[in-house]
Amino acid sequence: MTEKLAGHLLVETLVAQGVTHAFGVPGESYLAVLDGFHVHADRIRFVTCRQEGGAAFMAEAQGKLTGRPGVCFVTRGPGATNASIGVHTAFQDSTPMVLFVGDVASDTRDREAFQEVDFCSFFGPSTKGMAKRVERIDEPRRIPEYVARAFATAMNGRPGPVVLVLPEDMLTQAVDTMALPLPRVEPVETWSDPGSLRALRELLLKSERPFVIAGGGGWTPQAAQALQRFAENWQLPVGNAFRFQDTFD
């Protein structure tokens, strides 16, 4: 065979990114992807859920626990709107997540097709959006590019959710078997330079009522322990930001 379905290529890109589980509610708009999950069942598992909101929360929880994007698949219209609560939670909690939405076919777009929704407008991104980035994949050969960028966007800077829209006719197109996933994306590691740490020390020594507010994404058990040692050594009072009470004992 010299060709494969674009839906199969999409599953292969997830495997290349280290994804072991994807959560979702099956829908007719991404049957080619479900077929890909079946073909690659020995490397990745699709967890069938009863409702898209639960599937999105499962993906969000996995993103919180692993630091890599949790993956959720839903179908168009109500499937996407049901999943939006999990996307909104991922945005507010700075959790890396990628939501894939099966969409109407390209030749019926903007014709009020059954359950058609403008997902770019619905999910953002804007000052009050639900996602860091929303993109539509119209060209099957660019699937590896879009998926790699989605993972990079979800993990870097302030982590958060990314939405990728998948026209159902795009997923059933044939691509060359030589079309391969891009390498695994890793988040950029950041740290404070010595000069900044010295400046922070001077500020703390001069401060009268310093107070630590612990919050934001990217926490690990080791980071939480390091914060606790820092606060104890400097005898600093600590408060937790909303929904980040577990970052400090």
Side-chain angles (χ1 to χ4, degrees):
M1 294 180 63
T2 59
E3 294 181 332
K4 58 186 172 184
L5 291 178
H8 290 201
L9 175 60
L10 177 57
V11 175
E12 292 170 8
T13 63
L14 296 178
V15 173
Q17 293 301 326
V19 178
T20 58
H21 293 76
F23 309 90
V25 177
E28 80 286 354
S29 56
Y30 66 97
L31 289 176
V33 178
L34 294 172
D35 189 65
F37 279 119
H38 176 71
V39 170
H40 298 288
D42 58 329
R43 296 192 291 172
I44 187 170
R45 179 186 176 192
F46 181 81
V47 181
T48 302
C49 305
R50 297 182 63 181
Q51 200 262 359
E52 293 86 359
F57 278 128
M58 290 180 183
E60 197 275 339
Q62 188 179 51
K64 262 194 179 74
L65 293 170
T66 65
R68 293 192 64 83
V71 173
C72 180
F73 278 85
V74 297
T75 191
R76 59 184 181 259
T81 56
N82 286 343
S84 64
I85 179 60
V87 176
H88 183 62
T89 300
F91 188 87
Q92 290 212 324
D93 282 12
S94 302
T95 302
M97 175 183 175
V98 179
L99 175 72
F100 292 90
V101 181
D103 198 17
V104 299
S106 302
D107 60 350
T108 61
R109 188 171 60 191
D110 300 327
R111 291 180 175 175
E112 202 176 336
F114 180 60
Q115 296 182 339
E116 181 181 11
V117 173
D118 183 348
F119 296 111
C120 289
S121 298
F122 180 75
F123 284 106
S126 66
T127 55
K128 295 183 180 180
M130 282 186 279
K132 292 182 67 178
R133 195 182 190 106
V134 184
E135 293 187 319
R136 180 186 180 94
I137 308 178
D138 290 308
E139 173 53 57
R141 290 176 297 178
R142 296 183 64 185
I143 287 175
E145 169 196 344
Y146 278 99
V147 172
R149 183 163 61 218
F151 272 66
T153 303
M155 289 188 291
N156 287 305
R158 177 187 172 185
V162 175
V163 178
L164 291 181
V165 182
L166 312 169
E168 61 179 333
D169 58 321
M170 181 277 293
L171 294 173
T172 58
Q173 292 183 35
V175 294
D176 194 287
T177 54
M178 297 302 293
L180 300 175
L182 293 175
R184 175 183 167 113
V185 176
E186 299 293 345
V188 176
E189 295 292 336
T190 59
W191 62 89
S192 298
D193 64 275
S196 297
L197 292 176
R198 284 193 296 269
L200 173 62
R201 181 178 184 276
E202 293 300 320
L203 289 172
L204 286 174
L205 290 173
K206 295 177 181 178
S207 64
E208 296 181 1
R209 291 181 299 276
F211 185 77
V212 177
I213 301 176
W219 285 94
T220 64
Q222 295 76 19
Q225 293 166 8
L227 175 63
Q228 185 168 335
R229 291 193 300 270
F230 170 74
E232 290 173 345
N233 290 337
W234 282 84
Q235 297 184 341
L236 298 172
V238 179
N240 295 85
F242 180 57
R243 293 169 70 117
F244 288 96
Q245 288 84 353
D246 59 342
T247 57
F248 199 83
D249 187 346

